Amino acid sequence: MRDTTRKRVFLFFGSVFFLLFCYATVNLPPWGSYRGPYGDVISRVGVYERHATDVVNAINYDYRAFDTLGEEFILFSAVLGVMMLLRHEEGEDTREVGKVEDRMHLSMTVRALAMPAILLTVVFGFDIGLHGQLTPGGGFQGGVILASALFLLYVCENTESFRRITSHSLVESIEAVGAGSYALIGLSPLIAGLPFLTNILPLGTTGDVFSSGTIALISACVGLEVTAAFLLVGYTYLEEIITGQVPEE
Amino acid sequence: MPGVLHLLPYFVAAWLFFCGLYGLVTSKHLVHSVMCLAILQSSTYILLLGIGYRIGGAAPIFADIAPGKLTVDPIVQALMLTDVVVEAVVIALLLAMVVKAHERSGTVSPDELRTLRG
Amino acid sequence: MNAPSFLTPLPVAVPLVGAALMACLRKWLSRAAADSIGILFSGATLAISSLLLLRAIHGPSVYWLGYWFPRGSMALGIGLVAEPIGAGLAVLAATLTFLALVFSWRLVNSGSNHFQPLMLIFLAAMSGFSLTVDIFNLFVFFELMSTAAFALCGLKTEEPAPLQGSFNFAVTNTIAAFLILTGVGLLYAVTGALNMAQIGLALGSRHDPLILFAFTLLICGFFIKAAIVPFHLWLPDAHAVAPTPVCVLFSGLMVQLGLFAVARLRFLVFGQTFAHHESQLRAILIALGTLTVIIGGLMCYAEHHLKRMLAFSTISHSGIMLLALAMGTPLGFAAMMTYLIAHAFIKSSLFFCCGILLHRLRAVGERTLFAKGKTLHWTAGVWFLGAFGLAAAPPFLTMMGEAGISKAAEDLGLSWLSWVCFFGGVFTSAAVLRVGMHTFLGWGTEPITDEAAEIGELPETPGEDQRIFWYQYVPAAVMIAVPIFLVAEPRWLAVLRDASAAFTQQSAMLHLVYTGTSVEAHLPAWTEALLSSSIRGIGAFVVAGCLACTSVFRLKLRRWFRVGAFLESGIRPLRAMQSGHPGDYVLWLTIGLACVSGAAMVWLRSAV
């Protein structure tokens, strides 16, 4: 199909769809007047029932923990997919896809600031990740911040240091352990005759870090998994693109 | 026009959806197509968050406010926040496909990559 | 009240644990160990799902995760419903995955053991999809199924063809996910609920434009997955690039789960919405279904790449299932489920045969395979039986499904629909027969070929040992034997009929979800339609045979009789549609979206 035809046909049908969308939303409750009972009920009881002040995370890791389990495994399978796509086949010649000068001549200022910045980021990541049940944060966010600390390492130092850490075979295992332990934590209540993913750990006092039972624990496992996942993706991409060769598995 | 203002976020979501689809249809570069998917994703987020908003509502974090105070809807936020991180990695998967396609056939233009006709 | 079984979440949890375990030990496991763990976990899931199915037949139950029971009519947590239809689909998913993993034992390239965990995740997603009764959970498992599928398509990375196919697949299915999420969001805004039963209760019989638009977004998203025209374009490309065991799962179950989701939504969430507009909704769905059957059938016959041909045949049969669903009656739904189960088995056995051909003869193009399969007697036997099954001929379960569809259509005065099914059966069966005659019997002259078949596919197994092993035969043989066996043992059909009757009654499902008690429902058998269906089935096979012969022996026939050859070269506009360009696919998607939502908003509105 020629480009202009495609564009014109799309503009017609796309506009029809857009107008129908707008027409339908006229019946929505006006913006800013959320009415539904579900969110309000959980806001009201979430703190008392689960001793977690961050109701959003209470929903994610307790009320609707099954959804989050599924989402976590979406991340997991996407990472498996990236690794499988960009893998190095047995017996394949290594490809030289344009080597990048690995010795970057960074200024003294950048290199001096690099280490403190990385340390700060790591501490920040752990803080956000472990306080998920109290303040906005939790496993997903903490994991991304921790992974970005290591990317800072790649930006500020040369790729060798980054590769040394992320190519370790444990990174993959850590990721799998993080993902699998979520499912296993969910399975443990079954022994006591309770449904899957019930919060069975002691709930502690509201406002304490060690509160809200399995919410904190699951959040930590997810954080582990997300960190490792982003590191694996970063490592696989870097190996494929920058250095031009992927080592044998 | 207070009526339209009340619906503006939803119109924006619809418009973003349209833009994302337009980008996909007219794209000349596979990386651009993947980014259009990210635009579609944003459209759904705007719709969801717009649905959950309450004027004058506080954030649903009761660390510093008393439970029972009027807050915005925590459910849509919970639905969304895992999605953001997950979709980032799914986009990484799609980009890996693009990288592989470029490596094998030397091009990232959908017009030139047509090896599966009919 | 039927006590919920602790087994209910296990079909999801067990494969996920298995996948994590295998990914953890991936680098240190040998190929045999990884395959064994995969087979072990999928076998365990099969056992668990079967027990769950037996339990569900005995007494359906609802399982609230996290110990969050509903308060009043509000569901706080996520619920799983163990009723025969959903549990049956979970069993089917486990069976297909188990046999696919057995088939790929030590031979199919596993991408350094990445393949097995992804298959287990795929299985978990399909099981969760069938059991859940929460609409956002449905979306999450839809996304999980899709992501595992995209990843699995990336297994064969040696040729440029694969990446284009998996990219098109990924783009269209991701758009589908976003459409579904938008629909979920709109429903949530209106009802403040995410549990399907609660939404159904809250919606009542409202059908303002918003509800209709949410409905079209949801069904269009699921129709993209179900490969209904014009959302079907991604399926053949995805099949051409995915390895055989993965194709088995795609065509066998993943595509049909889209239709199952539409059924779930139609009967549970929108149960009363279309009370006064039944015939209009039926018209829209029948139009889509008929278009799908016809286009799928014509393109199926015009394909010479075996897997793409089978993919188009899946599209055609998906259309037949949509026609059954479009009836909107319990009988229609029961027929759809019967056909779904039958088709899953037959199609997967055909794909296993494809895999054997690819392994032994190192090709999937019809011309390259010409007369090379003369020594493969067992494979030929299964292949021709498969053709028989696709035509909905008597000893096969597809015939019973088709009988149900024609009875349902007749009840509504639409008896011409059985001729649409006949058309689909003829063309898909003829294509399989033609390939069989060329490859296994070596009849006729060299086959016509096309671009896709010329590009072909690289073999997925190492070339050193080209013997066909028992674990490659067994899945194909089992899959073709089951539909025949199921017809001979009809007691389960009564269970399916009653379960369908309960599934389609919104009040029965509401009762089940909120109180955990099941309501007795009954659907009479459709034995009157069996005779005419059998005749039609045999007729379809005969016509298919004749059509295939006109293709195979085309040079010996006079010009007017070369119908087959004419159809084989394809119909220009249809081939142009299947261009391989993602922009084109998204364009057709938009056209379909605009047409369906326009039709819905205009014809299904309140103004009666």
Side-chain angles (χ1 to χ4, degrees):
Chain A
M1 219 185 274
R2 281 204 352 253
D3 291 339
T4 40
T5 334
R6 208 182 288 144
K7 200 189 293 191
R8 284 199 198 125
V9 174
F10 174 80
L11 282 176
F12 175 67
F13 284 99
S15 325
V16 168
F17 177 65
F18 170 64
L19 291 170
L20 286 173
F21 199 136
C22 294
Y23 176 56
T25 55
V26 165
N27 286 103
L28 276 174
W31 177 73
S33 62
Y34 170 68
R35 300 174 192 156
Y38 197 5
D40 289 331
V41 166
I42 295 198
S43 282
R44 242 176 292 139
V45 301
V47 184
Y48 301 117
E49 288 182 349
R50 283 295 173 256
H51 296 200
T53 51
D54 181 359
V55 177
V56 177
N57 268 338
I59 296 172
N60 258 334
Y61 300 118
D62 195 325
Y63 289 90
R64 302 188 66 90
F66 200 49
D67 275 344
T68 317
L69 177 66
E71 302 258 16
E72 193 197 25
F73 270 92
I74 296 177
L75 207 154
F76 187 71
S77 42
V79 173
L80 275 179
V82 171
M83 289 199 293
M84 195 160 81
L85 264 173
L86 299 178
R87 75 181 182 276
H88 177 69
E89 275 301 326
E90 294 261 332
E92 214 179 69
D93 302 323
T94 55
R95 313 166 289 279
E96 293 295 313
V97 190
K99 267 186 112 43
V100 167
E101 246 310 295
D102 228 34
R103 245 153 271 295
M104 288 196 279
H105 301 289
L106 292 168
S107 71
M108 281 305 296
T109 328
V110 176
R111 299 180 81 177
L113 284 177
M115 236 354 161
I118 291 171
L119 281 173
L120 251 173
T121 317
V122 169
V123 169
F124 183 55
F126 273 109
D127 176 51
I128 292 274
L130 290 174
H131 285 84
Q133 59 276 16
L134 304 174
T135 49
F140 284 96
Q141 297 86 326
V144 176
I145 297 174
L146 283 174
S148 62
L150 272 153
F151 284 119
L152 256 182
L153 182 69
Y154 161 68
V155 168
C156 300
E157 297 286 319
N158 56 26
T159 43
E160 273 316 303
S161 337
F162 180 73
R163 283 177 67 194
R164 225 180 314 129
I165 300 180
T166 54
S167 66
H168 204 285
S169 45
L170 274 186
V171 178
E172 239 189 281
S173 310
I174 292 177
E175 194 212 359
V177 163
S181 43
Y182 190 156
L184 286 172
I185 294 174
L187 281 173
S188 42
L190 284 178
I191 305 174
L194 291 170
F196 187 60
L197 287 172
T198 312
N199 198 337
I200 48 172
L201 289 181
L203 291 173
T205 37
T206 317
D208 206 25
V209 174
F210 295 107
S211 64
S212 69
T214 50
I215 293 179
L217 190 58
I218 292 179
S219 180
C221 295
V222 169
L224 207 61
E225 201 248 337
V226 172
T227 318
F230 274 89
L231 288 180
L232 277 174
V233 171
Y235 167 68
T236 316
Y237 264 93
L238 277 173
E239 289 298 290
E240 165 77 16
I241 301 165
I242 302 291
T243 59
Q245 56 191 40
V246 182
E248 292 284 325
E249 288 289 324
Chain B
M1 297 178 286
V4 172
L5 274 181
H6 280 165
L7 298 170
L8 194 57
Y10 309 135
F11 291 169
V12 169
W15 174 245
L16 276 180
F17 204 93
F18 173 79
C19 288
L21 286 179
Y22 177 77
L24 276 167
V25 170
T26 54
S27 175
K28 293 271 174 287
H29 196 288
L30 287 180
V31 176
H32 172 262
S33 301
V34 177
M35 289 302 116
C36 291
L37 283 178
I39 295 181
L40 284 175
Q41 190 188 334
S42 318
S43 142
T44 56
Y45 295 159
I46 291 186
L47 182 69
L48 277 176
L49 290 177
I51 284 169
Y53 186 66
R54 185 180 263 147
I55 295 178
I61 312 292
F62 297 99
D64 46 354
I65 56 175
K69 205 146 179 242
L70 211 61
T71 59
V72 300
D73 179 23
I75 298 275
V76 283
Q77 297 189 13
L79 299 186
M80 245 202 64
L81 78 87
T82 51
D83 237 8
V84 173
V85 177
V86 164
E87 290 294 334
V89 188
V90 174
I91 284 181
L93 177 60
L94 294 179
L95 288 173
M97 287 184 200
V98 175
V99 165
K100 234 12 201 194
H102 177 256
E103 180 188 304
R104 291 295 164 178
S105 47
T107 172
V108 272
S109 163
D111 296 318
E112 291 166 29
L113 267 175
R114 299 215 231 159
T115 48
L116 280 180
R117 231 174 276 170
Chain C
M1 155 137 171
N2 296 319
S5 165
F6 74 96
L7 292 170
T8 320
L10 291 184
V12 180
V14 166
L16 289 181
V17 170
L21 179 70
M22 274 210 279
C24 185
L25 304 172
R26 190 184 63 83
K27 284 189 183 145
W28 301 291
L29 283 176
S30 66
R31 178 61 202 268
D35 275 335
S36 323
I37 300 181
I39 292 177
L40 182 71
F41 271 94
S42 54
T45 314
L46 178 57
I48 294 172
S49 307
S50 314
L51 287 174
L52 186 63
L53 176 62
L54 289 174
R55 196 66 197 304
I57 294 175
H58 183 69
S61 55
V62 66
Y63 185 93
W64 293 103
L65 291 161
Y67 210 59
W68 293 111
F69 295 100
R71 295 184 196 170
S73 71
M74 175 165 354
L76 275 183
I78 298 175
L80 296 176
V81 147
E83 39 88 37
I85 307 276
L89 285 174
V91 170
L92 191 56
T95 318
L96 288 175
T97 315
F98 177 71
L99 287 175
L101 283 172
V102 165
F103 181 85
S104 48
W105 171 263
R106 291 188 76 181
L107 278 187
V108 174
N109 179 9
S110 78
S112 340
N113 292 342
H114 280 120
F115 165 78
Q116 296 93 332
L118 281 170
M119 291 286 271
L120 286 181
I121 295 178
F122 199 42
L123 168 60
M126 288 196 285
S127 311
F129 194 85
S130 330
L131 292 172
T132 189
V133 92
D134 180 289
I135 205 173
F136 186 74
N137 203 220
L138 192 72
F139 163 74
V140 169
F141 281 121
F142 180 88
E143 270 219 79
L144 183 58
M145 223 169 37
S146 306
T147 310
F150 306 155
L152 282 168
C153 272
L155 184 56
K156 300 163 84 161
T157 56
E158 299 87 38
E159 34 196 329
L163 279 313
Q164 183 73 334
S166 37
F167 187 79
N168 294 339
F169 174 29
V171 165
T172 30
N173 278 259
T174 312
I175 297 178
F178 293 141
L179 285 172
I180 295 170
L181 185 56
T182 314
V184 168
L186 292 178
L187 282 181
Y188 177 69
V190 171
T191 56
L194 287 174
N195 183 295
M196 286 194 230
Q198 192 183 343
I199 299 178
L201 202 57
L203 279 182
S205 52
R206 275 180 69 167
H207 52 295
D208 38 293
L210 178 65
I211 312 286
L212 295 175
F213 190 70
F215 175 71
T216 49
L217 284 177
L218 286 167
I219 63 169
C220 285
F222 286 118
F223 280 164
I224 294 176
K225 179 64 88 182
I228 304 292
V229 168
F231 310 113
H232 68 292
L233 299 163
W234 60 273
L235 190 66
D237 293 354
H239 273 264
V241 315
T244 314
V246 176
C247 286
V248 164
L249 286 178
F250 281 4
S251 263
L253 194 54
M254 185 187 80
V255 163
Q256 284 79 15
L257 280 179
L259 288 174
F260 168 73
V262 172
R264 183 75 97 185
L265 291 173
R266 161 90 174 81
F267 293 116
L268 183 53
V269 177
F270 297 99
Q272 297 165 47
T273 315
F274 303 109
H276 299 294
H277 298 276
E278 288 274 359
S279 46
Q280 287 97 323
L281 178 64
R282 194 177 301 135
I284 296 176
L285 293 178
I286 287 179
L288 285 174
T290 316
L291 208 57
T292 312
V293 173
I294 294 178
I295 291 185
L298 288 174
M299 286 298 287
C300 175
Y301 199 73
E303 281 291 331
H304 301 92
H305 182 299
L306 254 59
K307 285 193 190 168
R308 282 173 73 92
M309 176 196 80
L310 289 176
F312 275 112
S313 117
T314 303
I315 294 176
S316 192
H317 290 281
S318 199
I320 295 180
M321 287 182 243
L322 178 59
L323 286 177
L325 181 59
M327 299 293 109
T329 54
L331 177 58
F333 181 68
M336 176 188 124
M337 288 306 299
T338 319
Y339 203 89
L340 196 155
I341 296 172
H343 173 260
F345 285 112
I346 297 174
K347 193 47 69 68
S348 41
S349 77
L350 286 173
F351 268 110
F352 282 130
C353 290
C354 248
I356 293 178
L357 286 175
L358 187 57
H359 166 70
R360 179 59 174 274
L361 303 174
R362 324 303 280 173
V364 281
E366 210 177 326
R367 182 176 282 190
T368 336
L369 284 173
F370 182 51
K372 292 224 183 96
K374 286 193 186 165
T375 49
L376 301 172
H377 301 296
W378 283 105
T379 319
V382 174
W383 187 265
F384 284 111
L385 279 178
F388 216 65
L390 286 184
F396 282 92
L397 195 57
T398 29
M399 185 269 296
M400 300 220 66
E402 206 259 329
I405 299 176
S406 37
K407 176 96 194 333
E410 234 180 85
D411 287 345
L412 295 165
L414 298 162
S415 23
W416 57 273
L417 280 182
S418 21
W419 294 107
V420 178
C421 303
F422 179 83
F423 181 95
V426 163
F427 275 87
T428 51
S429 177
V432 173
L433 277 176
R434 184 194 78 217
V435 170
M437 288 183 206
H438 272 140
T439 311
F440 298 110
L441 300 175
W443 287 353
T445 49
E446 208 175 51
I448 303 174
T449 188
D450 60 48
E451 202 180 324
E454 283 300 301
I455 295 172
E457 209 169 300
L458 288 183
E460 42 202 31
T461 54
E464 297 97 42
D465 191 350
Q466 287 181 13
R467 284 178 298 148
I468 306 177
F469 296 90
W470 63 270
Y471 48 81
Q472 289 177 314
Y473 274 132
V474 166
V478 164
M479 294 314 244
I480 203 74
V482 171
I484 307 177
F485 168 72
L486 288 179
V487 172
E489 255 292 330
R491 280 174 301 175
W492 69 281
L493 211 60
V495 173
L496 177 66
R497 282 199 306 267
D498 293 343
S500 311
F503 188 92
T504 50
Q505 264 184 43
Q506 193 192 34
S507 47
M509 285 301 289
L510 284 176
H511 210 66
L512 179 61
V513 172
Y514 279 116
T515 61
T517 36
S518 53
V519 172
E520 284 298 319
H522 186 64
L523 184 70
W526 54 80
T527 38
E528 316 92 69
L530 282 180
L531 183 61
S532 51
S533 256
S534 312
I535 297 175
R536 254 200 309 276
I538 297 180
F541 187 72
V542 168
V543 173
C546 297
L547 183 58
C549 285
T550 60
S551 258
V552 169
F553 298 112
R554 68 182 184 280
L555 293 180
K556 296 188 185 161
L557 295 171
R558 257 182 271 167
R559 207 144 52 104
W560 303 114
F561 292 105
R562 293 186 194 169
V563 184
F566 170 69
L567 288 169
E568 245 183 288
S569 39
I571 298 176
R572 271 273 191 84
L574 288 182
R575 268 216 203 277
M577 213 165 122
Q578 193 75 36
S579 63
H581 189 288
D584 281 347
Y585 290 12
V586 176
L587 176 62
W588 283 107
L589 202 156
T590 318
I591 293 177
L593 201 55
C595 291
V596 174
S597 45
M601 308 265 274
V602 165
W603 285 329
L604 299 176
R605 290 191 57 192
S606 305
V608 163

